[in-house]
């Protein structure tokens, strides 16, 4: 069957939530039995976001195949419960790199290499790539940035050409736009949307649906106006209100008839498989949402990191907390602790009233001392502790210094001269000077020791987890850590590198060299996060740290689909 391509563009302003819209629409179509994949095209020159810092770009999300990608791919995976890959995230930098590499190889010999056709053809090639696997009925393609940006132009041209190449009913454009509410006038304004649709038309693109981000419900008059001036049917004007949680958006879109609209567009004639015309199967999702919105109790957990002021820097970790709590009806109140502010003098004040401590991943030495201190506080006070990547490394540094008595023990990332390099560069990393895409990236095996806490949590002896780091636990110095009671309960079977560390004497003290947060989905919250949150809950009860569930930060949106 011909794969259908749905393009998501954005107008008026950035940060409208194209990623959440794409993920939610994907979920909605999947709930109608369609096989869906979602991809994102980012119009910047970086080949991938791996070299950008989280202030610049938010979290870097890593796929099974080791691609460093945009954090929207995390939303796609969490909503669709399905892994993505490098093919799901392409940047202008990657497109140009491919074209220039081919030019050097002589692939265009004799020709002038130009934006049209070569760059546009390369973009089209990537846009069709996932569809051509034959695995998907619908491929949703999110175009980063905003229509009207200079760098978005080649993507719009590629879409225009593809609409022509693929013929009617095989492509669709949903244009996401802002309908601002002017308080002084007491009105919703459609003019910015009209202008942004004009911009689309200037590129030869007529949107099929206009998705309206708004703080206020869009009434019939406003819908009529948008329909009239943007050349779409009224039913193609889709309201997307601010929601209490992003996980509500698939239901908001369902109530707006978005699923039906897309199916009618793509499959105008009935065929052999009409199941996608049936109501979407969202019972599990609604059940999940009910639990999410009505937690029984709230527990405070500290997230100790260097970028905690940036709300997107640890996106997958925050979402993992939310999703891990839902099955047990627990809400995690994440307390952001800036690692560089932690010192001996304030550690008790900062961490004394939390039910668990998660030390975050990171690069560079700013804040490392604070992370080491947080691990020490957790160990000495037996507070549930979860260290991820640099978090594990800091717990090991701390243990080496304060339990093994190895003064000055460190990672060679921060102190090349340390007498006790308990964390060190892998051999194969020593020769590498390029920074982009050269870490230990993607999925690797982890063999789990029977009888360990990790074994109990995973209920398995071999698992695969995703990596993003250069440094490793130094196997030459492991003996001493072992002697003092640390256990390495997960190792890579091929390289013997440490994957999981535990202190079995403690109530819950575990560090992982990999990133479990990348593998959490709505359908499958990660077992390590679930177990950690449970341990924190038990501890919270013991220490009287349970908080009453907090009201949502944003105004609740009335929801017809689910009575909650
Ligand atoms: N900086 C450390 C390393 O490269 C940890 C990386 C991380 O936390 N993702 O090994």
């Amino acid at each position: 069957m011909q794969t259908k391509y749905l393009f998501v563009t954005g107008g008026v302003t950035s940060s409208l939530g194209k990623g959440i819209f794409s993920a939610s629409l994907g979920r909605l179509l999947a709930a109608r039995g369609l096989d869906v994949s979602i991809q994102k095209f980012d119009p910047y020159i970086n080949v991938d976001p791996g070299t950008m810092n989280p202030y610049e770009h938010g979290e870097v999300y890593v796929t099974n195949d080791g691609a460093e990608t945009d954090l929207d791919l995390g939303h796609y995976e969490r909503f669709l419960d399905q892994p993505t890959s490098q093919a799901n995230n392409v940047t202008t930098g990657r497109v140009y790199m491919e074209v220039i590499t081919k030019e050097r190889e002589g692939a265009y010999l004799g020709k002038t290499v130009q934006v049209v056709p070569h760059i546009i053809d390369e973009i089209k090639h990537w846009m069709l790539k996932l569809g051509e696997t034959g695995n998907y009925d619908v491929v949703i393609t999110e175009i980063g940035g905003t229509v009207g940006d200079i760098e978005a132009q080649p993507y719009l041209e590629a879409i225009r050409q593809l609409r022509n190449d693929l013929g009617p009913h095989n492509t669709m454009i949903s244009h996401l736009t802002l309908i601002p509410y002017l308080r002084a006038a007491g009105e919703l304004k459609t003019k910015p949307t009209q202008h942004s649709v004009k911009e689309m038309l200037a590129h030869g693109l007529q949107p099929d649906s206009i998705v309206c981000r708004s703080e206020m419900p869009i009434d019939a008059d406003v819908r009529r106006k948008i329909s009239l001036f943007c050349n779409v049917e009224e039913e193609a004007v889709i309201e997307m209100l601010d929601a209490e949680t992003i996980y509500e958006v698939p239901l908001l879109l369902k109530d707006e008839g978005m699923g039906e609209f897309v199916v009618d567009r793509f499959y105008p004639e009935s065929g052999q498989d009409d199941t996608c015309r049936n109501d979407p199967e969202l019972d599990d999702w609604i059940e999940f949402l009910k639990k999410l919105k009505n937690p029984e109790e709230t527990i405070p957990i500290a997230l100790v990191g260097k970028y905690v002021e940036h709300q997107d820097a640890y996106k997958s970790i925050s979402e993992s907390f939310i999703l891990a709590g839902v099955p047990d009806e627990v809400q995690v109140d994440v307390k952001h602790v800036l690692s560089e502010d932690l010192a001996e003098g304030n550690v008790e004040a900062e961490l004394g009233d939390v039910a668990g401590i998660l030390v975050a991943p990171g690069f560079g030495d700013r804040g490392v001392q604070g992370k080491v201190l947080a691990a020490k506080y957790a160990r000495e006070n037996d507070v549930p502790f979860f260290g991820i990547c640099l978090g594990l490394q800091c717990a090991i540094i701390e243990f080496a210094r304060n339990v093994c008595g190895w003064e000055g023990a460190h990672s060679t990332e921060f102190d090349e001269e340390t007498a006790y390099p308990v964390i060190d560069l892998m051999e194969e990393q020593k020769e590498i000077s390029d920074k982009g895409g050269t870490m230990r990236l993607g999925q690797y095996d982890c063999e789990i020791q029977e009888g360990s806490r990790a074994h109990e949590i995973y209920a398995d002896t071999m698992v695969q987890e995703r990596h993003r780091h250069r440094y490793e636990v130094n196997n030459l110095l492991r003996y001493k850590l072992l002697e003092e009671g640390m256990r390495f309960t997960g190792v890579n079977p091929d390289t013997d590198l440490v994957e999981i560390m535990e202190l079995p004497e403690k109530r819950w003290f575990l560090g992982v060299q990999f990133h479990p947060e990348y593998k959490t989905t709505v359908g499958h919250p990660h077992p390590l996060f679930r177990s950690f949150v449970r341990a924190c809950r038990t501890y919270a009860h013991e220490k009287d740290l349970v908080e009453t569930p907090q009201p949502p930060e944003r105004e609740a949106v009335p929801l017809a689909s689910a009575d909650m």
Side-chain angles (χ1 to χ4, degrees), residues 233-245:
E233 302 141 60
E234 269 177 53
E235 59 168 16
V237 179
I238 306 290
E239 170 189 273
M240 189 173 146
L241 292 174
D242 288 356
E244 198 181 297
T245 141

Side-chain angles (χ1 to χ4, degrees), residues 199-362:
E199 186 72 39
M200 294 283 284
L201 288 171
H203 290 93
L205 297 175
Q206 167 64 53
D208 298 275
S209 72
I210 306 288
V211 182
C212 307
R213 289 286 284 112
S214 170
E215 292 174 63
M216 297 281 179
I218 316 258
D219 63 26
D221 273 354
V222 178
R223 284 180 198 255
R224 258 195 300 278
K225 214 162 161 187
I226 297 171
S227 155
L228 180 64
F229 292 117
C230 301
N231 326 306
V232 296
E233 302 141 60
E234 269 177 53
E235 59 168 16
V237 179
I238 306 290
E239 170 189 273
M240 189 173 146
L241 292 174
D242 288 356
E244 198 181 297
T245 141
I246 55 172
Y247 298 105
E248 201 168 306
V249 179
L251 299 182
L252 294 180
L253 295 180
K254 171 186 175 286
D255 291 349
E256 282 290 297
M258 184 79 200
E260 248 151 23
F261 180 75
V262 172
V263 164
D264 288 346
R265 273 293 158 116
F266 279 155
Y267 309 102
E269 284 159 32
S270 36
Q272 320 123 307
D273 190 6
D274 273 337
T275 44
C276 64
R277 292 177 208 282
N278 298 342
D279 276 347
E281 173 48 55
L282 284 164
D283 291 354
D284 287 353
W285 194 274
I286 290 171
E287 201 45 42
F288 151 79
L289 203 53
K290 273 187 186 160
K291 283 190 173 176
L292 170 65
K293 291 173 78 164
N294 300 294
E296 278 175 2
E297 57 195 21
T298 298
I299 53 165
I301 298 184
L303 171 63
V304 181
K306 159 170 141 178
Y307 301 109
V308 286
E309 321 95 300
H310 190 302
Q311 59 163 357
D312 282 345
Y314 302 108
K315 193 79 193 158
S316 293
I317 291 179
S318 335
E319 296 305 313
S320 291
F321 272 138
I322 296 174
L323 300 180
V326 170
D328 296 324
E329 291 165 76
V330 176
Q331 181 184 53
V332 176
D333 172 17
V334 178
K335 187 172 171 205
H336 298 269
V337 176
L338 193 58
S339 48
E340 62 189 300
D341 286 353
L342 270 185
E344 293 280 0
N346 67 6
V347 66
E348 179 64 45
E350 290 288 332
L351 300 175
D353 57 356
V354 295
I357 297 171
L358 186 145
V359 176

Side-chain angles (χ1 to χ4, degrees), residues 421-439:
V422 281
I423 309 294
D424 197 9
L425 211 52
M426 290 179 276
E427 261 329 296
E428 62 266 35
Q429 283 287 340
K430 291 188 177 155
E431 308 300 318
I432 296 175
S433 59
D434 277 8
K435 292 275 182 267
T438 55
M439 283 186 259

Side-chain angles (χ1 to χ4, degrees), residues 392 396 399 449-454 473 478-491 498-506 509-512:
L392 160 134
I396 288 182
F399 192 85
Q449 200 176 84
E450 288 191 37
S452 63
R453 167 164 285 129
V473 177
R478 254 160 75 172
Y479 73 96
K480 182 76 175 163
L481 303 161
L482 266 168
E483 263 173 39
E484 299 294 340
M486 184 171 272
R487 290 292 168 262
F488 301 105
T489 56
V491 293
V498 168
E499 297 277 350
I500 306 177
M501 164 280 282
E502 293 180 31
L503 292 182
E505 301 300 307
K506 303 289 166 194
F509 197 107
L510 192 145
V512 289

Side-chain angles (χ1 to χ4, degrees), residues 103 119 263 286 420 428 490 497:
E103 187 275 335
I119 294 296
V263 164
I286 290 171
Y420 304 101
E428 62 266 35
L497 292 170

Side-chain angles (χ1 to χ4, degrees), residues 190-207:
T190 66
K191 194 71 84 189
T193 299
Q194 296 178 37
H195 281 294
S196 106
V197 170
K198 263 198 193 137
E199 186 72 39
M200 294 283 284
L201 288 171
H203 290 93
L205 297 175
Q206 167 64 53

